[in-house]
Structures are given as C-alpha cells and as structure tokens.
Amino acid sequence: MKKVISVVGARPNFMKIAPIHKAFLKYQDTVTHLICHTGQHYDEKMSKVFFEDLELPKPDFYLGIGSGSHAEQTGKIMMEFEKILLEEKPDLVLVVGDVNSTIACTLTASKLHIKTVHVEAGLRSGDRKMPEEVNRLLTDAISDYLFVTEKSGMENLKKEGVSDDKVFFTGNVMIDSLTHYLEKAADSKILNEMDLTAGKYVLVTLHRPSNVDDETQLKRLFKMLAKISEGRKVIFPIHPRTRKNLDNFNITDHLNGQIILTEPIGYIDFLSLTKNAQLILTDSGGIQEESTFLGVQCITLRTSTERPITVELGTNQLLGTDLDKAEEAAMKVLAGEIKSGQVPELWDGKAAERITKILVEELL
Ligand code: UD1
C-alpha cells in the first residue's frame, strides 16, 4: 500500500484538492490518500463551509497554525508538518497552488527526502513583490513532479531549465470542481436571497495586499464601486483581510445602498454568483480562471497575472491599478461591449483523473 498526503491550507486550496481526493478513491486498494489541513485559514466561512460544499472528508491531520507574519506562519507550518511526516512516512506529498502552506509543506517534505508533487505548477506573474510568486518559484524549484494547468506554465518551466520528464500538462483541477458542482449551483438560492437578477449585477472580490492594505488605494476602489453601483447592484463578499482594513481605515463614507457587502460566501453559492454576474471585478487568481471557463466578463485589478491564458484566450482584461482606466473598461462592458472568449485546452473537468493516473501508474 502506498501513502499520499495532500496539503490544504487556505481557501483557494480546497476546490483543488476535492477532485484529486475523489480521483484517488478509484485506487483505494493500492493508495491511501490522506489530507492535512494546516489551518492557515480557520474561520468557518473561509474553511469549514468549503469542506461541506465540496464533500471533502474531515482532514486526517489539522495543524491549527492560524494567522501570523509570513515567517511565523511558514515556520510554524514546517515544524508541525515535520512531525506528521516523521510519524506517517508517506511515499508522496502533494501540494496545490501558491499559498504559504504550499511552500512550507514542500520544503519540509523535501528536506526529509519525501517525493513531492506540485499541482498548478509553472505559473509566473513575474512580480516577486507578491508573496505567491515567491511561493510558486520555490515550490517548483524543489518539487519532484510538476503538473501544469496552462501552456504558459510549460514555457516558464522550460525557460527555468526544468527537465521535461518532471513536467506534465494535465489541465486545471479547479475547473474539475466547477464542472462537477455547476448543476448544484443552479439550485442555489443566493440570487433570490440577495434580491439579485441574473446578468444584472456586478460581483467584486478584492483581498490582495497591493489593493487592500493601502488606505488611499482602498478608498479609491470604493469610490469607483460607488460610481459603478449607480446603475446596478454591486455585490462584494469581504475577505477577512479586507474587512479588517475597512474597519481600520473607517471606509464607510463611500458606501451606498447599491453596494452590498457580505461575509465570505461558500463554494456553491459563490459559483452561482459568478456564473450569473454581468461583470466581475477581482484581484483573485482563481476567479480569473473560473470566469474564463464560464464566459463571464472579468476585469482584473492587478498589474500582472500568472494566468495569462485568461487574457489571451478568455474573457479576462488585465487593467492594472489605474482605477480611471478600470472604471472606463467596466462601463464599456456594462454597456454591452464585451470581450468574447474560449475555454483553454484541457480545462475539461478531467484534470484530477489524469493526475492520479500518472501518479499511480508511473510515479508512485
Ligand atoms: C492567503 C494567500 C493568498 C490567497 C488568499 C485566499 C498567502 C501568502 N496568501 O492570503 O495567496 O489568495 O489566502 O484567501 O498564503 N484571516 C481571518 N480568518 C481566516 C484567515 C485569515 O480572519 O480564516 C485574516 C487574519 O487577520 C489574517 C489575514 O486574514 O492575518 C490574512 O490571512 P493570511 O492567511 O495571512 O493571508 P490571506 O490574505 O488570506
């Protein structure tokens, strides 16, 4: 019997591990698949609700790390994860994405000579000021096997000199979850509950330090949202980081009745909000991909993206942090000037099947 431990830590990890866990069940006679939750995200609405929505089992290990500076969070995860690895002696550690839990657990396993695999490898924004970019570079540099979601990832790894036999182009596991739960999302009551009409509202998510940790930028963002909300509802589920800053900076004067601020929203309801939005304004990585898959208009308020396929092929527009430009682009979309898009190669709901097949039949 082989043993694999997959790591989840923060919200965007859960929808990536769920299809991988389901795909491993097919091999349960030969592989035990265990899940370790570092506890980087711990609020019920940032974590527990996703386990329920995505039908994930309770994690086999919970490290309870919580928040802290980058060094604190990364260091604590390493210390706790090392104990699990020494006790469990897995054959493989699987990590996803680019959060602090991703690099912390890869580094810990690597130092113990346990094979590691990174799912969603090769993505690069080119901006090392983003903590995620540092996490991506380091995780890929020490992982034994790299599974890639889009062509740019293959090119980046080649440029960095990674040998071809470590790299597999398998598609996007997050889209596996999306396609699996789309039908369920159609039954969500969230639009009714929020009194929203499909195709007639703007969905906003902002949580990157570059947008929400700076008082002037956050105030300017809310001013822009107030303008956009003059003709329609704007729904904004607030990430805890953003919530904290809204309170600290006393940003209430730009709010009006058309901007609806809510708590973070679970996976199924959020999928329904995404699918039915007229436009999404975001700085999230995953939402750029989900909107491209669904053909929903998306404006990304960042200067770079590690997911360029969503701009080249999809419905995403990368508009930097110049909010006048962003507002103008938003108004154009809302007036009907939309960007048409296509679904990228291998974003077909079967990425986790491909990944587990390669792992079990070739690598384990
Ligand atoms: C993390 C990831 C980011 C990802 C985001 C998704 C890193 C470096 N960043 O950012 O890539 O896009 O998750 O959500 O790993 N907090 C709570 N409750 C929680 C979690 C966090 O209140 O359950 C608050 C705490 O005040 C904490 C702050 O949010 O200090 C930031 O949390 P942290 O995990 O450091 O990073 P995120 O901004 O969530």
Side-chain angles (χ1 to χ4, degrees), residues 38-193:
T38 64
Q40 177 175 346
H41 283 177
Y42 44 87
D43 281 353
E44 187 159 330
K45 292 196 162 106
M46 296 296 284
S47 176
K48 187 164 173 267
V49 64
F50 287 85
F51 275 78
E52 289 161 10
D53 276 5
L54 294 158
E55 300 165 290
L56 272 164
K58 207 166 154 266
D60 300 279
F61 314 101
Y62 185 75
L63 308 184
I65 299 304
S67 302
S69 71
H70 285 275
E72 264 170 352
Q73 199 172 52
T74 311
K76 277 190 198 161
I77 295 170
M78 289 183 68
M79 288 164 75
E80 292 307 311
F81 192 54
E82 185 177 56
K83 293 178 197 160
I84 307 281
L85 293 182
L86 290 171
E87 179 79 30
E88 293 291 325
K89 301 184 177 54
D91 299 282
L92 189 83
V93 167
L94 184 151
V95 299
V96 292
D98 54 18
V99 301
N100 285 345
S101 302
T102 310
I103 176 59
C105 293
T106 311
L107 185 50
T108 312
S110 180
K111 290 277 177 86
L112 292 174
H113 308 155
I114 296 167
K115 295 257 185 246
T116 55
V117 23
H118 184 206
V119 172
E120 205 183 81
L123 297 180
R124 300 286 181 267
S125 70
D127 175 3
R128 290 202 190 182
K129 291 231 166 75
M130 286 180 75
E132 296 82 4
E133 182 73 352
V134 178
N135 294 343
R136 288 181 203 116
L137 281 160
L138 297 180
T139 302
D140 287 346
I142 57 174
S143 290
D144 293 283
Y145 309 115
L146 301 166
F147 290 92
V148 178
T149 52
E150 64 164 83
K151 280 284 161 64
S152 74
M154 302 297 282
E155 288 156 17
N156 293 331
L157 293 170
K158 206 171 193 68
K159 265 189 255 159
E160 288 168 20
V162 179
S163 73
D164 286 348
D165 54 350
K166 289 172 72 171
V167 182
F168 304 85
F169 180 43
T170 41
N172 193 331
V173 284
M174 203 185 56
I175 302 300
D176 292 8
S177 277
L178 190 156
T179 52
H180 187 81
Y181 287 106
L182 210 47
E183 218 173 288
K184 218 168 173 185
D187 295 332
S188 157
K189 305 274 179 290
I190 189 88
L191 264 66
N192 274 347
E193 282 164 20

